[in-house]
Amino acid sequence: MTAQLIDGKAIAQKVQNEVKEKVTARVAAGKSQPGLATVLVGERVDSATYIRMKQKACDNLGMNSFHRPLPEDVSQEELDKLIKELNADKKVNGILIQLPLPDHLDEERALQLVNIEKDVDGFSPINLGRLAQKGREPLFVPCTPYGCIYLLKEVGVEISGANAVVLGRSNIVGMPAALLLIKENATVTVVHSRTKNTPDIVRQADIIIAAIGKREFVRGDWIKPGAAVIDVGINEMPDSSKKRGYRLVGDVNFEEAKKVAGHITPVPGGVGPMTIAMLMANTLHAAEIQE
Ligand code: GUN
């Protein structure tokens, strides 16, 4: 059996096209252009790349982006001041603080300061708390987990009643992905660095979301035949045939997994483009609720 490939790039493009149409209609109706503020502290190369991709997506969809870089050694007071300023700025509908922040800064405090109506990353404790509670709805769902669930739905994977295994418990992906799957009525197990029998637990899963940042960690013989595999990992694998000396691989051994899984996302071209598409959808939603 060969798994059906989940084309994240194409699905993300479809989401972006829908957002663009709505933005165009908004502006034609005399409403404001949605605006996203991006805050980058320091000069991490990966973070700077992600920010550029987010700004470019805003440009392509007719949204405003406001980039607010801060030096690596910025004080907590200066960061707090910027967040408050962005909270008060009517042109800014969404605020994204690129993570991780340098160690001397208090991430929890910064995320807590973001107005929940502008929290397009869904990382404020209020939005995350609502995600964790029955009968409550967050204003925004974190973009990567939101993208993972969107992909599953798009290809017709039944989430309700499914056994789902999430590998990893990060604040950005693993934990909110598990909460979102519970909201969608899956039965969820989270495995992590202290889990004792990971392969046996993964073998029970109808849905696997791998977000641990270990290249090709999940092997083909851990996968239940027909399972849906969503690979969030982006890892470098040394490869002398490539000009840059490496290729990108996920947290799942793709060649093994595709022989067993029912659906699988590639890396790159799976979850990655969805994160940006969902951020754009969240930014449009922010503009809509702030009218
Ligand atoms: N760092 C890695 N992923 C993300 C994300 O989705 N949002 C933010 N703000 N920072 C990140």
Side-chain angles (χ1 to χ4, degrees), residues 47 50 54 96-100 111 121 123 142-144 172-173 275:
S47 291
Y50 293 136
K54 291 166 185 177
L96 180 137
I97 302 167
Q98 189 64 32
L99 303 176
L111 296 177
D121 251 332
F123 292 158
C143 304
T144 302
I172 293 178
V173 186
T275 298

mmCIF file of all heavy atoms in Angstrom, residues 47 50 54 96-100 111 121 123 142-144 172-173 275, ligand 1:
data_model
loop_
_atom_site.group_PDB
_atom_site.id
_atom_site.type_symbol
_atom_site.label_atom_id
_atom_site.label_comp_id
_atom_site.label_asym_id
_atom_site.label_seq_id
_atom_site.Cartn_x
_atom_site.Cartn_y
_atom_site.Cartn_z
ATOM 1 N N SER A 47 14.448 32.502 12.629
ATOM 2 C CA SER A 47 13.324 33.383 12.965
ATOM 3 C C SER A 47 13.170 34.493 11.925
ATOM 4 O O SER A 47 12.051 34.826 11.522
ATOM 5 C CB SER A 47 13.538 34.014 14.348
ATOM 6 O OG SER A 47 13.435 33.029 15.354
ATOM 7 N N TYR A 50 11.426 33.096 8.912
ATOM 8 C CA TYR A 50 9.976 32.923 9.129
ATOM 9 C C TYR A 50 9.251 34.270 9.047
ATOM 10 O O TYR A 50 8.186 34.380 8.456
ATOM 11 C CB TYR A 50 9.687 32.269 10.489
ATOM 12 C CG TYR A 50 10.155 30.831 10.592
ATOM 13 C CD1 TYR A 50 10.819 30.365 11.721
ATOM 14 C CD2 TYR A 50 9.911 29.931 9.560
ATOM 15 C CE1 TYR A 50 11.247 29.037 11.812
ATOM 16 C CE2 TYR A 50 10.338 28.615 9.646
ATOM 17 C CZ TYR A 50 11.004 28.174 10.777
ATOM 18 O OH TYR A 50 11.420 26.875 10.855
ATOM 19 N N LYS A 54 6.244 35.517 6.504
ATOM 20 C CA LYS A 54 4.953 36.011 6.996
ATOM 21 C C LYS A 54 4.648 37.386 6.390
ATOM 22 O O LYS A 54 3.515 37.655 5.984
ATOM 23 C CB LYS A 54 4.977 36.062 8.534
ATOM 24 C CG LYS A 54 4.995 34.662 9.159
ATOM 25 C CD LYS A 54 5.357 34.619 10.640
ATOM 26 C CE LYS A 54 5.457 33.169 11.110
ATOM 27 N NZ LYS A 54 5.870 32.996 12.515
ATOM 28 N N LEU A 96 2.308 39.407 16.350
ATOM 29 C CA LEU A 96 3.028 38.134 16.406
ATOM 30 C C LEU A 96 4.417 38.377 16.987
ATOM 31 O O LEU A 96 5.193 39.153 16.430
ATOM 32 C CB LEU A 96 3.141 37.550 14.996
ATOM 33 C CG LEU A 96 3.880 36.224 14.931
ATOM 34 C CD1 LEU A 96 3.163 35.259 14.018
ATOM 35 C CD2 LEU A 96 5.320 36.399 14.500
ATOM 36 N N ILE A 97 4.680 37.777 18.126
ATOM 37 C CA ILE A 97 6.019 37.877 18.727
ATOM 38 C C ILE A 97 6.744 36.592 18.374
ATOM 39 O O ILE A 97 6.349 35.507 18.828
ATOM 40 C CB ILE A 97 5.924 38.043 20.255
ATOM 41 C CG1 ILE A 97 5.090 39.284 20.578
ATOM 42 C CG2 ILE A 97 7.309 38.126 20.881
ATOM 43 C CD1 ILE A 97 4.674 39.376 22.027
ATOM 44 N N GLN A 98 7.746 36.693 17.519
ATOM 45 C CA GLN A 98 8.419 35.474 17.068
ATOM 46 C C GLN A 98 9.162 34.821 18.239
ATOM 47 O O GLN A 98 9.909 35.482 18.969
ATOM 48 C CB GLN A 98 9.390 35.812 15.919
ATOM 49 C CG GLN A 98 9.984 34.598 15.224
ATOM 50 C CD GLN A 98 8.968 33.730 14.493
ATOM 51 O OE1 GLN A 98 7.964 34.224 13.983
ATOM 52 N NE2 GLN A 98 9.212 32.437 14.446
ATOM 53 N N LEU A 99 8.953 33.531 18.395
ATOM 54 C CA LEU A 99 9.587 32.765 19.467
ATOM 55 C C LEU A 99 10.657 31.860 18.862
ATOM 56 O O LEU A 99 10.544 31.482 17.700
ATOM 57 C CB LEU A 99 8.533 31.924 20.194
ATOM 58 C CG LEU A 99 7.362 32.728 20.786
ATOM 59 C CD1 LEU A 99 6.336 31.783 21.404
ATOM 60 C CD2 LEU A 99 7.853 33.738 21.817
ATOM 61 N N PRO A 100 11.695 31.488 19.603
ATOM 62 C CA PRO A 100 11.925 31.825 21.003
ATOM 63 C C PRO A 100 12.491 33.230 21.182
ATOM 64 O O PRO A 100 13.170 33.751 20.300
ATOM 65 C CB PRO A 100 12.967 30.770 21.420
ATOM 66 C CG PRO A 100 13.730 30.471 20.167
ATOM 67 C CD PRO A 100 12.731 30.601 19.051
ATOM 68 N N LEU A 111 3.685 37.349 26.204
ATOM 69 C CA LEU A 111 2.499 36.769 25.557
ATOM 70 C C LEU A 111 1.225 37.182 26.282
ATOM 71 O O LEU A 111 0.175 37.362 25.677
ATOM 72 C CB LEU A 111 2.618 35.244 25.490
ATOM 73 C CG LEU A 111 3.780 34.724 24.626
ATOM 74 C CD1 LEU A 111 3.854 33.203 24.685
ATOM 75 C CD2 LEU A 111 3.657 35.190 23.180
ATOM 76 N N ASP A 121 -1.476 34.422 17.152
ATOM 77 C CA ASP A 121 -0.747 33.172 17.380
ATOM 78 C C ASP A 121 -1.517 32.249 18.327
ATOM 79 O O ASP A 121 -1.169 31.078 18.463
ATOM 80 C CB ASP A 121 0.612 33.485 18.033
ATOM 81 C CG ASP A 121 1.771 33.259 17.081
ATOM 82 O OD1 ASP A 121 1.632 32.419 16.179
ATOM 83 O OD2 ASP A 121 2.807 33.916 17.269
ATOM 84 N N PHE A 123 -1.407 32.301 21.528
ATOM 85 C CA PHE A 123 -0.522 31.908 22.631
ATOM 86 C C PHE A 123 -0.837 32.615 23.948
ATOM 87 O O PHE A 123 -0.170 32.373 24.953
ATOM 88 C CB PHE A 123 0.945 32.181 22.285
ATOM 89 C CG PHE A 123 1.505 31.316 21.187
ATOM 90 C CD1 PHE A 123 2.628 31.714 20.462
ATOM 91 C CD2 PHE A 123 0.927 30.091 20.886
ATOM 92 C CE1 PHE A 123 3.155 30.915 19.459
ATOM 93 C CE2 PHE A 123 1.453 29.279 19.876
ATOM 94 C CZ PHE A 123 2.566 29.699 19.160
ATOM 95 N N PRO A 142 -3.625 28.361 17.846
ATOM 96 C CA PRO A 142 -2.246 28.429 17.346
ATOM 97 C C PRO A 142 -2.132 27.861 15.922
ATOM 98 O O PRO A 142 -2.742 26.834 15.589
ATOM 99 C CB PRO A 142 -1.466 27.594 18.367
ATOM 100 C CG PRO A 142 -2.245 27.789 19.638
ATOM 101 C CD PRO A 142 -3.693 27.807 19.203
ATOM 102 N N CYS A 143 -1.339 28.582 15.116
ATOM 103 C CA CYS A 143 -1.367 28.372 13.659
ATOM 104 C C CYS A 143 -0.936 26.969 13.211
ATOM 105 O O CYS A 143 -1.561 26.389 12.321
ATOM 106 C CB CYS A 143 -0.465 29.411 12.986
ATOM 107 S SG CYS A 143 -0.936 31.091 13.427
ATOM 108 N N THR A 144 0.127 26.425 13.786
ATOM 109 C CA THR A 144 0.593 25.115 13.299
ATOM 110 C C THR A 144 -0.401 23.998 13.641
ATOM 111 O O THR A 144 -0.797 23.235 12.746
ATOM 112 C CB THR A 144 2.015 24.818 13.822
ATOM 113 O OG1 THR A 144 2.876 25.881 13.389
ATOM 114 C CG2 THR A 144 2.547 23.501 13.281
ATOM 115 N N ILE A 172 4.142 25.505 21.548
ATOM 116 C CA ILE A 172 3.795 26.015 20.220
ATOM 117 C C ILE A 172 3.027 24.988 19.395
ATOM 118 O O ILE A 172 2.121 25.338 18.652
ATOM 119 C CB ILE A 172 5.080 26.479 19.478
ATOM 120 C CG1 ILE A 172 5.667 27.707 20.172
ATOM 121 C CG2 ILE A 172 4.812 26.770 18.010
ATOM 122 C CD1 ILE A 172 6.957 28.214 19.570
ATOM 123 N N VAL A 173 3.410 23.714 19.518
ATOM 124 C CA VAL A 173 2.749 22.708 18.674
ATOM 125 C C VAL A 173 2.098 21.568 19.471
ATOM 126 O O VAL A 173 0.880 21.392 19.437
ATOM 127 C CB VAL A 173 3.720 22.090 17.629
ATOM 128 C CG1 VAL A 173 2.939 21.166 16.689
ATOM 129 C CG2 VAL A 173 4.435 23.157 16.821
ATOM 130 N N THR A 275 1.131 26.703 8.287
ATOM 131 C CA THR A 275 1.307 27.594 9.438
ATOM 132 C C THR A 275 1.088 29.039 9.002
ATOM 133 O O THR A 275 0.392 29.816 9.658
ATOM 134 C CB THR A 275 2.728 27.415 10.039
ATOM 135 O OG1 THR A 275 2.838 26.071 10.495
ATOM 136 C CG2 THR A 275 2.980 28.359 11.189
HETATM 137 N N1 GUN B 1 8.380 29.997 16.505
HETATM 138 C C1 GUN B 1 8.205 28.798 15.906
HETATM 139 N N2 GUN B 1 6.927 28.677 15.490
HETATM 140 C C2 GUN B 1 6.285 29.811 15.824
HETATM 141 C C3 GUN B 1 4.943 30.276 15.659
HETATM 142 O O1 GUN B 1 4.050 29.610 15.118
HETATM 143 N N3 GUN B 1 4.695 31.520 16.146
HETATM 144 C C4 GUN B 1 5.645 32.263 16.751
HETATM 145 N N4 GUN B 1 5.295 33.451 17.204
HETATM 146 N N5 GUN B 1 6.882 31.869 16.934
HETATM 147 C C5 GUN B 1 7.205 30.639 16.460
#
